Amino acid sequence: MNSKRWIALVVAAAVLVVSLLVNSVFTLFQSDFASDFDELMATETNKFEETVIEQGSANSRIAVLEVDGAIQDTGEASPLFGTAGYNHEFFMGQLEQIKEDDSIKAVMLKINSPGGGVVESAEIYDKITEIQEETGKPFYVSMEAMAASGGYYIAAPADKIFVNKETLTGSIGVIMQSVNYGELAERYGVDFVTIKSGPYKDIMSPTRDMTNEERELLQEMLDDSYQSFVDIIVEGRDMPEEEVRAVADGRIMNGRQAVEANLADDFGYEEDVIAGLRNDFDLADAQVFKYGVSQSWASLLNVKVQSLFGNDIETQMLAKLMTEYSSPRMMYLYGDK
């Protein structure tokens, strides 16, 4: 066989390999496999590892939970782009594990969050109160740099709330936002055609001004969610409603102001909160631990995908678009969503 035939064979083999690779990539992202992949990722995420923070009795333990970032259910079991942030499904799984594990006698909840979705915040609140009522396990909260809006909502049922003097908290209330770029589009000759089944189907449309009737409809919804927020503080902090409403006007406050307003109990860092749990609930010999995620092939794939696509600006923008909501929604949130 001469050299030309060898070259032809090598080229043909290379084309075959590339073709197989391209087909495999496309197959990977087909909807059926993607569904199975998401299910597997979720299964892997629910396998908790435990990291011991302070040694002690394995029969009497203090669990440390962390809410770090915006409280939103993005529908992702594990991120394929960027670093992991708050994972709602994973966090709810931890709460369920705490409910079922009889060796866990108390919980410290660390919060560093500007808040998030109304539904997700309420889900966490309901689960915490369910654990308290059915098991009697106490929850102490350690507020970090920020525990505002929904971050405060999930802290409200705690037996005790600790803050730093520099902690930003408060921002009690509900917000719903959208962008109106209709006038800008008109300036550039862009015309939007909308066909709808009812007068309110395109409520909060970004292409036109809102009517007074639409504003009233949305305001009623927000008022209901706001009342729920006030009610959980009244119950959780054992405060009169008028006292809650006096500070539940959306204002942000620091740790000192929160303590003075009876929205927090004391100043302290993580070690102070754990010491408080040990002292208040006879847990001097308790082991302190936190949950993690089992390393799996999904984690390895995450690394591979990041190395494949890199960290260029376009990829970061794509990741942002993939993980953000495009439609307006009610939020217990401080700051820009």
Side-chain angles (χ1 to χ4, degrees):
M1 187 179 294
N2 58 35
S3 60
K4 289 185 178 180
R5 289 189 175 181
W6 276 114
I7 292 173
L9 283 173
V10 170
V11 171
V15 170
L16 178 61
V17 170
V18 171
S19 177
L20 290 172
L21 179 61
V22 170
N23 287 335
S24 298
V25 170
F26 275 101
T27 302
L28 176 66
F29 290 100
Q30 287 297 315
S31 59
D32 289 343
F33 184 85
S35 176
D36 294 339
F37 179 75
D38 289 341
E39 184 178 346
L40 177 59
M41 294 278 274
T43 301
E44 293 290 349
T45 304
N46 285 330
K47 294 179 180 177
F48 304 121
E49 284 185 347
E50 296 179 0
T51 301
V52 175
I53 301 172
E54 296 180 15
Q55 295 293 339
S57 171
N59 296 318
S60 179
R61 306 195 295 162
I62 298 172
V64 176
L65 297 184
E66 297 184 29
V67 172
D68 191 3
I71 304 169
Q72 296 188 64
D73 186 358
T74 62
E76 296 177 349
S78 182
L80 286 178
F81 298 94
T83 57
Y86 174 76
N87 185 312
H88 188 64
E89 182 181 358
F90 177 58
F91 185 76
M92 294 304 295
Q94 292 178 75
L95 287 175
E96 183 62 32
Q97 181 71 17
I98 283 170
K99 177 185 173 183
E100 301 298 330
D101 192 336
D102 292 335
S103 72
I104 298 172
K105 306 303 182 184
V107 182
M108 181 182 79
L109 176 58
K110 291 173 59 178
I111 303 175
N112 185 30
S113 172
V118 167
V119 172
E120 294 92 334
S121 300
E123 241 188 319
I124 295 173
Y125 169 83
D126 289 342
K127 195 64 180 180
I128 289 175
T129 54
E130 176 187 314
I131 294 170
Q132 290 172 318
E133 291 168 3
E134 294 187 14
T135 70
K137 296 177 182 180
F139 278 72
Y140 276 15
V141 164
S142 174
M143 290 186 172
E144 306 294 302
M146 178 178 288
S149 202
Y152 188 83
Y153 190 106
I154 65 174
D159 298 86
K160 230 176 208 184
I161 297 175
F162 290 77
V163 294
N164 304 320
K165 290 184 178 179
E166 295 79 15
T167 296
L168 289 180
T169 187
S171 189
I172 299 166
V174 195
I175 190 169
M176 191 175 189
Q177 291 179 312
S178 70
V179 176
N180 188 336
Y181 48 75
E183 187 175 337
L184 177 65
E186 184 179 351
R187 187 182 306 170
Y188 286 92
V190 179
D191 187 26
F192 296 93
V193 179
T194 302
I195 302 172
K196 53 187 179 179
S197 59
Y200 303 119
K201 184 58 181 172
D202 64 339
I203 195 168
M204 285 198 87
S205 167
T207 65
R208 66 173 178 81
D209 291 334
M210 187 183 300
T211 67
N212 290 333
E213 291 80 6
E214 290 172 331
R215 191 176 296 276
E216 289 174 5
L217 285 172
L218 294 176
Q219 188 63 57
E220 183 179 356
M221 290 167 49
L222 264 69
D223 289 344
D224 285 346
S225 294
Y226 172 73
Q227 185 61 52
S228 295
F229 204 156
V230 170
D231 289 343
I232 69 105
I233 298 175
V234 168
E235 181 178 353
R237 299 298 301 169
D238 193 23
M239 295 170 61
E241 182 169 334
E242 59 272 19
E243 189 177 332
V244 174
R245 285 183 174 273
V247 292
D249 52 8
R251 73 181 68 180
I252 198 76
M253 60 185 73
N254 62 24
R256 175 189 60 79
Q257 293 169 318
V259 171
E260 290 177 355
N262 198 29
L263 294 178
D265 297 289
D266 205 350
F267 302 105
Y269 296 97
E270 180 178 343
E271 56 270 24
D272 302 309
V273 180
I274 292 175
L277 283 170
R278 290 188 184 280
N279 182 66
D280 296 346
F281 299 97
D282 192 25
L283 296 170
D285 297 326
Q287 179 190 89
V288 181
F289 77 98
K290 65 178 181 178
Y291 289 113
V293 185
S294 297
Q295 292 298 315
S296 64
W297 69 270
S299 303
L300 296 176
L301 179 60
N302 180 25
V303 175
K304 290 296 183 182
V305 170
Q306 291 186 60
S307 64
L308 176 63
F309 288 100
N311 291 313
D312 55 275
I313 297 298
E314 290 81 2
T315 300
Q316 293 177 33
M317 291 177 66
L318 178 61
K320 188 175 180 66
L321 288 171
M322 290 173 66
T323 56
E324 286 191 346
Y325 290 90
S326 57
S327 58
R329 60 195 298 246
M330 289 191 294
M331 306 284 282
Y332 293 136
L333 184 68
Y334 169 68
D336 182 14
K337 74 172 183 177

